[in-house]
Amino acid sequence: MGIAPLLFVSLLATLIDLNDCGILYPKNSITRQVLSLDGLWDFSLPKVNQSGCNTEEECFEDSEANDEDVKLMSVPSSYNDVSTNAKIRDHVGVVRYHRKFFVPKSWKGKKIWLRFGSVCYAARVYINGNFKTSHNIGHLPFQVEVGDILSFYGHNDITVIVNNTLTTTTIPQGEVETLDRPVVLYTTEETYIDDITVTTQLGGNGSALVNYGITVEGNDIFTQQVSVLDKDGVQIASDNYTLNGTFEIKNAKLWWPYLMSDQPGYMYTLRVSIYGNDDTLLDHYEQPFGVRELTWDNTTLKINGKPIYLRGFGRHEDSDIRGKGLDLPLIIRDYNLIRWIGANSYRTSHYPYAEEIMDLADRLGIMIINECPAVNTEDFSDGLLENHKQSLTELVRRDKNRPSTIIWSAANEPRTKVNTSEQYYREVIAHLKSLDNTRPVTVVNSVNATDDHSGQFLDILSFNKYCAWYDDDGDLDVIIPQLTKQAEAWHTRHNKPVLLTEYGADTLEGLHFVPTYIWSEEFQTDLMSRHFQAFDELRAKEWFIGEMIWNFADFKTAQTYTRVGGNKKGVFTRQRQPKSSAHLLRRRYWSLASLLENAKVPSDLDNYVIVKKTNAKDEL
């Protein structure tokens, strides 16, 4: 097949070719059609006795689950959260999803791609009884061309065998998930746009440079047109000669984070069209991008030359019933709450989030620490290393064009105290930086700075610390000295910017104690207030660049006597209603926005209590 190579020039940095192919988001266009396979699928657990199964599918026929309450399962969703059956809720192993579908007759002769937004964690896909592909990393999309085995004159069958079993070499090494993001079919011609890469940098006198590289696959001889459109769809630049090059935008509108500008999240579009010899349009794709430039040194992280102070959350894709399944109304609600509270960022803890969630971060100007699905990594081995590298490759390939992604996170709470972790993370970080050196890299650590073996390879030092909760539970007086000491230790050892990515306390909504007591709403707010004091002491040292509370909202966990219905560290409940702590955090984040970015504070931030100054006459 003829492949136009991905080659382009950037004065700052380049993104290299990412593995075998692109993973462009499926969009309807004048050349492409998208057919959703979301909806109700047949669902079953394997037979209790699988002896005598001749095929993988036979092991699910007349499954015991067919007599239970989940013969049908919605896609996307997490089956663990939908069922009323404890056996299904707690199931670890393989399950079977199956449905029938039709393909339009007009699609015959085109390439037809089957794309999964995410299957957690291993998937084997069969079309009309034929094994077609497999994928072993959760939370990231994969696709396969299936046009050769589809029927255009009757129904088609699709079966997905999902395995949520994790081992010492899977990424991550422990969690239970399912088929939780959209499944679609989409079309292209035989010659099609396979991948698009965009990087930007600031020029002089308000201009910006937009570097682009486009990969085309197919046998046809083609010509191309590449254009830049502004937010209103007006063409401002065009080139008919090359699939890799640079545009200069005069008076560029920059991508700014929320509350750093009155126009946050400004997005341009790179429009790419390719034509055959007879001027027939072969493919057309529109890639959004933002113009912004990240720089960093040993004390600061800057966007467009201005220092960033991150204020936000660790989060989870999690809600009642849907679990981690994609839920568009929930996404809108979450972003409304993020803006209401005055946050400017969050971390995709501890896995890449759905592309639809990331799209809104781009458009709203919410900064993202984009984390690969490597949690509590230990038992370091060559097999684990290769899977870890592959997860990073797939993550960067998917999100490389997103202005909202400002930091890559290579892991959450790995066992970097172990000596063997040093060589492991030397290779992991080198691999990540080979994929993209336009963004800083971090690892979210939970070990002491003096015990860690990863910090020397990183650009940003991120750590989690639960003073007065997991350490010295209930003792609020330890927070300021312990937190400041740990942050200073990280900076002193490596001379790099420091960020606190997790702190907090479990809180049962409606539980109140005076005086304060752990698990109460009063304890959560008192703990936060002490942290705020520590943060302000650290901010004065200039190398402390942000604070992120754990967690945005309560979320479901495995059953344990230390959890009351799940992890309750959210400032919002799992149903997205505020605890007392949400109002306190709102006053903190908006005050920081006013102080650091001159943002206008909402009028309802503080309720009226009493007039602060009187003209009362003192007669004594």
Side-chain angles (χ1 to χ4, degrees), residues 410-457:
N412 175 71
E413 297 190 351
R415 308 303 187 241
T416 56
K417 188 175 182 178
V418 179
N419 290 336
T420 53
S421 69
E422 182 169 352
Q423 180 60 29
Y424 183 92
Y425 279 98
R426 176 184 283 110
E427 295 191 40
V428 165
I429 300 305
H431 177 72
L432 180 51
K433 289 187 175 185
S434 75
L435 300 174
D436 178 18
N437 61 5
T438 68
R439 298 171 174 91
V441 173
T442 195
V443 163
V444 176
N445 268 300
S446 61
V447 301
N448 291 330
T450 53
D451 298 328
D452 166 67
H453 290 86
S454 68
Q456 65 269 39
F457 310 121

Side-chain angles (χ1 to χ4, degrees), residues 313 315 346-350 353 369 371 412 444 501-502:
F313 314 88
R315 295 184 63 222
Y346 62 82
R347 176 168 60 108
T348 64
S349 39
H350 308 295
Y353 287 0
I369 299 176
E371 193 162 88
N412 175 71
V444 176
T501 37
E502 290 184 27

Side-chain angles (χ1 to χ4, degrees), residues 315-499:
R315 295 184 63 222
H316 268 300
E317 285 183 302
D318 178 83
S319 64
D320 281 350
I321 302 177
R322 283 275 188 162
K324 282 185 168 58
L326 181 68
D327 188 335
L328 296 180
L330 181 76
I331 292 171
I332 298 297
R333 172 69 175 179
D334 281 359
Y335 276 109
N336 285 339
L337 291 174
I338 288 169
R339 291 188 294 173
W340 172 82
I341 213 168
N344 63 9
S345 58
Y346 62 82
R347 176 168 60 108
T348 64
S349 39
H350 308 295
Y351 42 85
Y353 287 0
E355 290 156 287
E356 294 80 0
I357 295 175
M358 302 295 288
D359 287 344
L360 269 179
D362 288 336
R363 292 172 59 183
L364 298 176
I366 303 300
M367 295 179 285
I368 306 296
I369 299 176
N370 205 338
E371 193 162 88
C372 85
V375 186
N376 302 332
T377 311
E378 56 188 356
D379 297 329
F380 302 105
S381 66
D382 291 341
L384 179 66
L385 178 62
E386 289 309 306
N387 284 333
H388 200 155
K389 287 180 179 179
Q390 181 62 26
S391 72
L392 290 167
T393 298
E394 294 186 20
L395 172 60
V396 176
R397 181 172 60 194
R398 192 195 78 167
D399 290 343
K400 59 188 174 180
N401 296 324
R402 296 191 178 280
S404 60
T405 293
I406 63 162
I407 300 173
W408 298 115
S409 173
N412 175 71
E413 297 190 351
R415 308 303 187 241
T416 56
K417 188 175 182 178
V418 179
N419 290 336
T420 53
S421 69
E422 182 169 352
Q423 180 60 29
Y424 183 92
Y425 279 98
R426 176 184 283 110
E427 295 191 40
V428 165
I429 300 305
H431 177 72
L432 180 51
K433 289 187 175 185
S434 75
L435 300 174
D436 178 18
N437 61 5
T438 68
R439 298 171 174 91
V441 173
T442 195
V443 163
V444 176
N445 268 300
S446 61
V447 301
N448 291 330
T450 53
D451 298 328
D452 166 67
H453 290 86
S454 68
Q456 65 269 39
F457 310 121
L458 309 176
D459 302 309
I460 306 293
L461 304 170
S462 304
F463 73 102
N464 299 339
K465 183 71 173 173
Y466 286 91
C467 300
W469 190 252
Y470 295 128
D471 302 324
D472 303 295
D473 48 312
D475 188 355
L476 297 172
D477 292 334
V478 306
I479 293 174
I480 296 174
Q482 286 192 3
L483 185 60
T484 54
K485 180 181 178 181
Q486 185 66 270
E488 288 170 347
W490 279 104
H491 180 70
T492 299
R493 185 175 182 194
H494 298 293
N495 193 30
K496 296 173 183 177
V498 177
L499 167 67

Side-chain angles (χ1 to χ4, degrees), residues 256-282:
W256 286 105
Y258 177 54
L259 299 178
M260 287 186 74
S261 167
D262 58 1
Q263 285 189 318
Y266 190 95
M267 298 292 288
Y268 290 92
T269 299
L270 190 78
R271 174 186 285 172
V272 182
S273 301
I274 57 173
Y275 300 86
N277 275 342
D278 57 355
D279 292 330
T280 301
L281 182 63
L282 299 175

Side-chain angles (χ1 to χ4, degrees), residues 220-343:
D220 294 294
I221 298 174
F222 62 88
T223 58
Q224 66 281 326
Q225 182 179 57
V226 184
S227 306
V228 174
L229 312 181
D230 68 12
K231 192 173 184 178
D232 298 320
V234 177
Q235 180 175 300
I236 59 174
S238 182
D239 182 9
N240 296 332
Y241 301 104
T242 178
L243 288 175
N244 41 82
T246 300
F247 289 118
E248 182 178 12
I249 301 178
K250 304 288 187 181
N251 301 314
K253 289 182 169 57
L254 303 185
W255 190 93
W256 286 105
Y258 177 54
L259 299 178
M260 287 186 74
S261 167
D262 58 1
Q263 285 189 318
Y266 190 95
M267 298 292 288
Y268 290 92
T269 299
L270 190 78
R271 174 186 285 172
V272 182
S273 301
I274 57 173
Y275 300 86
N277 275 342
D278 57 355
D279 292 330
T280 301
L281 182 63
L282 299 175
D283 202 4
H284 174 96
Y285 197 88
E286 298 188 355
Q287 175 63 54
F289 70 94
V291 173
R292 62 106 176 94
E293 182 176 285
L294 297 171
T295 55
W296 59 94
D297 54 30
N298 62 346
T299 59
T300 59
L301 171 62
K302 294 181 180 179
I303 187 167
N304 305 328
K306 292 186 178 180
I308 298 171
Y309 187 77
L310 297 171
R311 50 188 184 275
F313 314 88
R315 295 184 63 222
H316 268 300
E317 285 183 302
D318 178 83
S319 64
D320 281 350
I321 302 177
R322 283 275 188 162
K324 282 185 168 58
L326 181 68
D327 188 335
L328 296 180
L330 181 76
I331 292 171
I332 298 297
R333 172 69 175 179
D334 281 359
Y335 276 109
N336 285 339
L337 291 174
I338 288 169
R339 291 188 294 173
W340 172 82
I341 213 168

Side-chain angles (χ1 to χ4, degrees), residues 23 94 149 190 196 203 214 279 296 364 492 544 553 560 572 607:
I23 193 74
V94 292
I149 57 173
E190 286 294 324
I196 299 173
I214 301 157
D279 292 330
W296 59 94
L364 298 176
T492 299
F544 188 74
T560 170
F572 297 101
N607 293 327

